[in-house]
Amino acid sequence: MRTRSIIVDADACPVKSEIELAGKQFGVQVVLVASFDHRMKENPGVKVVQVDRSDQSVDLYIANQIKPGDILVTQDFGLAALGLAKGSICLTNRGQEYTNSSIDFLLERRHVSAKMRRSGKHSKGPKPFTEEDRKNFLHGLTKLLKYLQENENE
């Protein structure tokens, strides 16, 4: 399966520059999708798509555009589930890969957390994003792109 594009849920993505770097290194088109509230500029190999600021506009655009072989970078479990269903490879902003076997657990955990919040209980939330997370993401994306490049005829 040939990698078509790296599609990024870019509204709150902390690793856009790392994605651009890896895309350039491997000759893979990067598509940054964000609402009009976020200022981004196109660079060679980087396409910026800006959509309405409504709640699900970025997710809907990505869900309608993603194809098998694309790499999707998102923090959104629901969007990752849609990406997996369409045959894309989905990564978190920390470089972990969403899989068909892990996504159900993550969606269930999100549902339970939402129910707890509605009843007045609050969880800690995600850990702060670190420089080590940034390095781990770039390493993981580079390793994935290298693997895909080496195995694209299989």
Side-chain angles (χ1 to χ4, degrees):
M1 179 185 326
R2 184 173 100 43
T3 304
R4 302 161 71 88
S5 300
I6 302 171
I7 301 176
V8 184
D9 180 357
D11 276 344
C13 181
V15 289
K16 291 187 280 286
S17 61
E18 286 79 6
I19 294 167
E20 287 186 34
L21 179 69
K24 185 176 183 179
Q25 180 181 353
F26 286 88
V28 177
Q29 172 78 43
V30 173
V31 181
L32 302 174
V33 185
S35 72
F36 286 111
D37 294 332
H38 299 272
R39 296 282 236 185
M40 292 181 290
K41 65 176 191 166
E42 290 194 1
N43 292 311
V46 178
K47 177 182 176 185
V48 173
V49 176
Q50 305 231 237
V51 298
D52 189 306
R53 68 173 52 115
S54 68
D55 193 25
Q56 299 297 318
S57 293
V58 170
D59 295 357
L60 289 171
Y61 179 87
I62 291 172
N64 286 317
Q65 298 300 313
I66 199 155
K67 307 267 187 289
D70 286 341
I71 296 171
L72 171 61
V73 180
T74 184
Q75 299 179 87
D76 184 315
F77 301 152
L79 182 57
L82 288 169
L84 288 171
K86 289 194 159 203
S88 68
I89 300 164
C90 301
L91 299 176
T92 70
N93 293 340
R94 296 176 194 262
Q96 288 90 26
E97 186 173 344
Y98 295 102
T99 63
N100 287 321
S101 59
S102 69
I103 199 69
D104 288 338
F105 169 76
L106 294 170
L107 289 167
E108 175 65 21
R109 190 175 75 186
R110 179 179 76 170
H111 176 71
V112 169
S113 293
K115 280 174 51 177
M116 287 175 53
R117 283 191 302 277
R118 283 193 301 273
S119 69
K121 297 177 182 156
H122 295 284
S123 59
K124 292 181 183 179
K127 296 177 187 172
F129 197 81
T130 66
E131 195 58 37
E132 179 136 348
D133 291 327
R134 191 175 301 288
K135 290 176 186 171
N136 288 340
F137 175 83
L138 182 57
H139 175 74
L141 180 58
T142 302
K143 187 175 172 181
L144 173 62
L145 289 168
K146 184 173 184 170
Y147 172 81
L148 292 171
Q149 190 177 55
E150 290 171 353
N151 295 287
E152 76 181 281
N153 294 327
E154 291 182 12

